[in-house]
Amino acid sequence: MKIEQEHRIGLFDIDYQFKPQVQSIARLFQECSTFHSDSVGAGTEFLIERGLIWFLNRIEIEFFRYPKLFEDVKVITWSRGFKRFKGFREYLMTSPAGDIARGTSVWIFFDVKRNRISKIPQDILDCYHNESEKWFADEIDAWKPCGKISPENQMDFSLRYSDFDVNGHVNNTIYFSFLETLYHQSIKGLAPPVKNVKIRYNSEIDQSKKSVRAGWQKSDGSYLFNIFDDSNLYADGEITPMG
């Protein structure tokens, strides 16, 4: 079953160049997936009451084009199935003017009370009607991220009250804000728009942290990145610019 939400690209979605931010697209994808779970009876409040939660493990977003300010878009998502403690989800953003972006993701089911990854209960599996359609030939779950790198450029980011979500961790869409700031402010000249971004979330940034660092290293036309501090690698991945 595919779930749809409509949205008009507004001023809070765009940057100073009137181009929608990658973070905004990621946020709309996340909101649509949350709406999907809520609509089938397995949403955030239901899970929290049972001491359970989904953690985003990996996501890939690829842009065909960037939407315009005030463009009416439609975000579509669907569950592609489950495997033990993993859930697989696809995304599409489109409009009457054509497709805008697509995405794929892997989510990990976690038992907060036991503080461990958990097999997905059958009653939650039964809530979803899965679709087999997927966007990418290569599974994001099989992608091998870069791991720890030696950054050529890096920036520090102070963490704000608004960065933390209902789970007490920095929301996964905020990582895209770190990366976009790093990408656009550290590349000499006007950086081309992002074509594709892949990210693996390795550990949560909790409320005890006051700042993190992001850095990139160029590799074969792409930018390998880390989000980290002195003792933790919170996320790693790669950004590929539009040609």
Side-chain angles (χ1 to χ4, degrees):
M1 179 175 66
K2 295 185 177 182
I3 297 294
E4 300 180 359
Q5 280 191 312
E6 295 181 349
H7 178 76
R8 175 167 290 181
I9 300 297
L11 291 171
F12 288 105
D13 297 315
I14 64 172
D15 61 19
Y16 72 94
Q17 301 177 74
F18 285 78
K19 177 183 67 63
Q21 303 170 64
V22 176
Q23 180 192 3
S24 297
I25 306 303
R27 176 177 53 80
L28 291 170
F29 282 175
Q30 177 175 284
E31 287 181 353
C32 195
S33 63
T34 301
F35 175 71
H36 183 188
S37 293
D38 284 338
S39 69
V40 299
T44 303
E45 292 185 3
F46 170 81
L47 293 176
I48 288 177
E49 288 175 359
R50 297 175 62 173
L52 303 169
I53 199 166
W54 287 103
F55 282 136
L56 182 59
N57 175 241
R58 297 176 179 216
I59 187 169
E60 178 177 3
I61 300 175
E62 183 167 279
F63 290 88
F64 303 106
R65 64 181 179 89
Y66 280 81
K68 297 178 180 179
L69 179 62
F70 303 132
E71 184 172 347
D72 290 316
V73 303
K74 183 184 295 182
V75 180
I76 305 169
T77 190
W78 60 97
S79 168
R80 196 158 55 82
F82 304 90
K83 186 176 181 181
R84 295 186 63 222
F85 54 84
K86 292 181 179 180
F88 302 87
R89 179 172 290 278
E90 303 289 300
Y91 309 89
L92 174 67
M93 177 177 284
T94 189
S95 84
D99 289 346
I100 295 164
R102 60 183 179 176
T104 187
S105 62
V106 180
W107 296 76
I108 301 294
F109 199 72
F110 193 82
D111 188 321
V112 178
K113 293 180 180 178
R114 297 180 180 180
N115 194 33
R116 68 184 188 188
I117 292 171
S118 176
K119 185 178 179 180
I120 306 164
Q122 188 61 47
D123 65 328
I124 291 179
L125 294 176
D126 291 340
C127 290
Y128 296 89
H129 300 281
N130 302 318
E131 302 277 348
S132 60
E133 183 180 358
K134 68 173 186 175
W135 292 122
F136 301 95
D138 297 328
E139 288 281 359
I140 186 67
D141 201 31
W143 163 61
K144 296 186 182 302
C146 59
K148 191 173 182 180
I149 62 171
S150 298
E152 298 173 30
N153 283 277
Q154 58 185 4
M155 297 178 65
D156 290 326
F157 294 90
S158 296
L159 299 178
R160 306 160 300 176
Y161 172 82
S162 60
D163 292 336
F164 294 89
D165 59 21
V166 294
N167 303 309
H169 302 133
V170 172
N171 185 272
N172 59 69
T173 63
I174 302 298
Y175 289 61
F176 289 95
S177 176
F178 301 153
L179 296 174
E180 271 190 295
T181 301
L182 171 72
Y183 177 72
H184 286 287
Q185 292 191 7
S186 64
I187 295 176
K188 294 179 180 180
L190 187 62
V194 172
K195 170 67 174 177
N196 182 286
V197 57
K198 302 183 187 75
I199 184 169
R200 173 180 66 172
Y201 297 89
N202 296 303
S203 62
E204 288 73 43
I205 306 172
D206 62 37
Q207 290 172 306
S208 67
K209 300 295 179 182
K210 303 303 180 186
S211 65
V212 294
R213 190 172 301 142
W216 60 254
Q217 178 186 76
K218 197 166 185 181
S219 176
D220 297 326
S222 294
Y223 296 87
L224 308 179
F225 65 78
N226 285 174
I227 296 173
F228 62 104
D229 60 20
D230 291 338
S231 55
N232 298 286
L233 176 61
Y234 296 109
D236 58 340
E238 60 188 79
I239 293 171
T240 302
M242 287 187 173

